Amino acid sequence: MTVWRSSSLALICLEVSLLLAGLCRSDCRGAGLCCSGRDPSCTSEGWRSDRSYGTCYCDQACVSTLDCCHDYETACPAVSCVVSEWTEWSGCAEPCRATVRRRSRIILREPLNAGKPCPHLEEHAGCAEYWSKQGHCHNSLVPALITTGGYGNARKKRDIPDGGDIIGYCVQFQLTSLTKGCQQSAGPHTQWMQYLKEGHHVCVECQPPALAAGQKHCAGDGEDNFEDGRRSLQWQAVGNPRCRGAWRRVGRLEACSCPTAHSFLFI
């Protein structure tokens, strides 16, 4: 009986020792683990944060997979990204054209252990400078004022002189940017602005009534700068000053051939 009790006591002591040894290494701190990203080898054995027992992880991905060791948050505290303040806005990238300016910031501390990631480090904003080293810019920065093509039906009959030898023409553009105000045009005379989308090709007709005295082309049509096909020109919708943007001239046409929703007039 004494021998049996001694054996039982020794077995219990061994089990307790093994259990204690397991507990000593059954967490992130005991295993000395804190891994970045997703690392399948960054494991220990013990209690997980969901109160189940088994293989648990000490990598950053365990926060989303819900299989962290119970002490992950204290052993591997989250460290959020820290960035500097924004720099001042730069000048326009190029004078005498609608272009961009930029500002930036740098990372002061990288995120660790599922900490908050770094925000974007660079911002761009529209920009236009009307002066260059050579003096005042040409009129390529003057926004082209446009309205829906339906307006031209009545204007053609009313404003074009009889027997005049002045003819109109059409210019095709590709929209490169537009403001959110175009999508907020709810009035009956401004709903056409909601069809404007970046990347779309639009046709804009230059009718004789829109020609200034002595001019052969409408203001803002990019005729003076057509050699530079990359030049971005400005436009603004009549009836909603919040609807404006930039487009790139594709070419001049004798007649507009765009769908009605993408056909407009110079004013």
Side-chain angles (χ1 to χ4, degrees):
M1 181 68 68
T2 303
V3 174
W4 180 83
R5 287 182 178 178
S6 299
S7 300
S8 298
L9 183 59
L11 181 60
I12 293 174
C13 290
L14 178 60
E15 291 176 349
V16 171
S17 299
L18 293 175
L19 178 60
L20 291 175
L23 290 175
C24 289
R25 62 178 180 82
S26 63
D27 52 27
C28 298
R29 182 175 286 106
L33 294 174
C34 277
C35 308
S36 60
R38 182 183 295 274
D39 187 349
S41 65
C42 191
T43 64
S44 184
E45 190 78 16
W47 294 101
R48 292 189 286 261
S49 53
D50 62 359
R51 298 184 180 180
S52 61
Y53 189 87
T55 300
C56 58
Y57 291 81
C58 301
D59 62 350
Q60 184 176 340
C62 75
V63 176
S64 57
T65 54
L66 303 179
D67 52 7
C68 298
C69 295
H70 70 93
D71 70 334
Y72 175 77
E73 291 186 358
T74 56
C76 308
V79 178
S80 297
C81 177
V82 176
V83 297
S84 66
E85 296 294 328
W86 288 108
T87 61
E88 295 294 327
W89 283 105
S90 69
C92 293
E94 298 178 64
C96 297
R97 65 176 60 191
T99 179
V100 296
R101 54 181 178 161
R102 63 179 294 273
R103 64 177 183 174
S104 61
R105 53 188 175 185
I106 60 174
I107 297 175
L108 301 178
R109 184 179 66 195
E110 295 281 356
L112 293 172
N113 306 327
K116 187 177 180 180
C118 295
H120 62 281
L121 302 177
E122 190 167 298
E123 283 187 343
H124 295 83
C127 184
E129 288 182 354
Y130 292 83
W131 290 87
S132 67
K133 294 180 180 179
Q134 289 72 36
H136 195 275
C137 300
H138 296 293
N139 64 351
S140 61
L141 285 176
V142 177
L145 301 178
I146 62 171
T147 189
T148 176
Y151 173 74
N153 296 332
R155 186 172 73 171
K156 285 182 179 180
K157 299 177 181 178
R158 183 179 64 250
D159 297 334
I160 299 178
D162 293 333
D165 58 355
I166 301 176
I167 60 174
Y169 61 91
C170 182
V171 182
Q172 189 177 44
F173 297 92
Q174 182 181 23
L175 294 172
T176 56
S177 67
L178 69 158
T179 59
K180 294 182 179 179
C182 298
Q183 306 302 315
Q184 300 169 353
S185 304
H189 300 293
T190 58
Q191 289 183 352
W192 59 272
M193 303 175 192
Q194 299 179 10
Y195 296 102
L196 297 170
K197 304 290 183 183
E198 289 186 14
H200 282 183
H201 284 75
V202 297
C203 295
V204 187
E205 186 177 358
C206 177
Q207 295 180 350
L211 295 172
Q215 296 294 320
K216 296 183 179 181
H217 59 86
C218 289
D221 70 350
E223 186 76 23
D224 293 336
N225 310 105
F226 185 51
E227 293 80 8
D228 185 0
R230 298 170 299 173
R231 175 158 294 190
S232 183
L233 305 168
Q234 295 178 320
W235 58 267
Q236 180 174 317
V238 174
N240 180 4
R242 296 178 302 167
C243 181
R244 57 188 183 276
W247 55 23
R248 186 173 292 107
R249 178 175 170 134
V250 177
R252 177 167 170 167
L253 309 172
E254 292 304 320
C256 290
S257 57
C258 294
T260 302
H262 296 155
S263 298
F264 309 105
L265 292 174
F266 290 108
I267 295 298

